[in-house]
Amino acid sequence: MKPLIKPADYLPFIIAPKLIQESLTKNSGRLIVSGVLQRANAKNQNGRIYPRAILDRELKKYQNLIKERRSMGELDHPDSAIVNLQNVSHIILDAKWDGDDIIGTIEVLNTPSGKILKELFLADVRLGISSRGLGSVSELDEGTLQVEDDFELVGWDFVSNPSTHGAFMSPQQLTESVSKNPVVACRNKIECLIRDILIELGN
């Protein structure tokens, strides 16, 4: 059996409770979030580099799971290549490239784990998202590992220990215009003002 690569890219996000409530209202009670799922050709804080060609191949395969609505993930990062239905918290609705980033849209499900995830969001807890996969790695230099061609993507899980900087999840409305321009929770007054102006222009 191939060794499990864990943990993979951890991507942090910050979500404002007000934006979550707006997402719930405009999505008929469904909590939809979006942001960066994975980044290619960049060393993460776990010292791993995922070549774009490998991720692109796996993303194309993963599209079948999305189409069949089997693209589920768990709350926390298990040491398993199988998604445990008892722990499912969310489902990936969409995943596509934006430069070297894979941008995803996620629905938080009304499962026991999904309810915990939703409450963490509402409590403004900072969480991350992590890819889970099987495969081997090779050492490029001290502290740097490259994922090899035998890598197989299992999916993405929510985690508490992010490692990749600058990638944030935010609440979304299921509309084409919003999905193309995700609204990120602001970090200071200037960013909040710009964000609010962009929201108004988009409505």
Side-chain angles (χ1 to χ4, degrees):
M1 181 177 178
K2 300 175 183 177
L4 184 70
I5 296 177
K6 62 177 182 64
D9 281 343
Y10 289 113
L11 309 179
F13 58 88
I14 302 173
I15 296 182
K18 180 181 178 181
L19 293 179
I20 295 175
Q21 293 296 347
E22 291 177 358
S23 177
L24 290 170
T25 299
K26 296 179 179 179
N27 292 315
S28 301
R30 301 162 65 196
L31 177 55
I32 309 296
V33 297
S34 71
V36 176
L37 295 175
Q38 189 91 19
R39 179 166 293 123
N41 300 329
K43 181 179 176 180
N44 66 20
Q45 289 192 26
N46 298 311
R48 292 183 176 88
I49 296 175
Y50 290 78
R52 173 157 181 149
I54 293 175
L55 282 181
D56 188 55
R57 180 196 69 203
E58 293 304 301
L59 180 60
K60 289 177 180 176
K61 290 163 55 178
Y62 196 76
Q63 297 300 327
N64 291 325
L65 295 182
I66 293 177
K67 292 177 182 178
E68 297 170 0
R69 204 165 164 77
R70 295 193 294 122
S71 49
M72 298 170 290
E74 298 184 41
L75 183 60
D76 285 327
H77 215 31
D79 298 334
S80 171
I82 299 174
V83 176
N84 188 331
L85 295 180
Q86 292 183 340
N87 299 328
V88 166
S89 60
H90 61 280
I91 188 166
I92 309 295
L93 301 178
D94 184 46
K96 57 189 175 184
W97 285 106
D98 181 9
D100 279 335
D101 292 341
I102 297 177
I103 305 296
T105 302
I106 299 173
E107 177 183 352
V108 178
L109 298 174
N110 194 36
T111 60
S113 293
K115 290 177 180 178
I116 294 174
L117 182 58
K118 179 180 176 181
E119 289 302 317
L120 290 172
F121 281 138
L122 289 171
D124 203 18
V125 174
R126 182 179 296 187
L127 300 171
I129 194 124
S130 167
S131 64
R132 194 188 338 168
L134 296 169
S136 59
V137 295
S138 61
E139 186 172 4
L140 295 182
D141 53 51
E142 186 175 355
T144 304
L145 300 173
Q146 178 168 288
V147 173
E148 291 297 295
D149 190 61
D150 61 352
F151 175 73
E152 296 178 13
L153 177 67
V154 174
W156 285 276
D157 303 310
F158 278 100
V159 295
S160 61
N161 184 25
S163 69
T164 300
H165 297 294
F168 297 92
M169 284 278 173
S170 63
Q172 289 292 287
Q173 303 168 34
L174 286 180
T175 64
E176 183 178 1
S177 60
V178 174
S179 63
K180 288 182 178 179
N181 300 285
V183 180
V184 179
C186 53
R187 294 170 292 180
N188 53 55
K189 291 182 178 180
I190 295 177
E191 286 189 2
C192 286
L193 179 60
I194 294 173
R195 184 203 64 194
D196 292 341
I197 292 173
L198 291 175
I199 291 175
E200 290 300 321
L201 289 174
N203 292 334

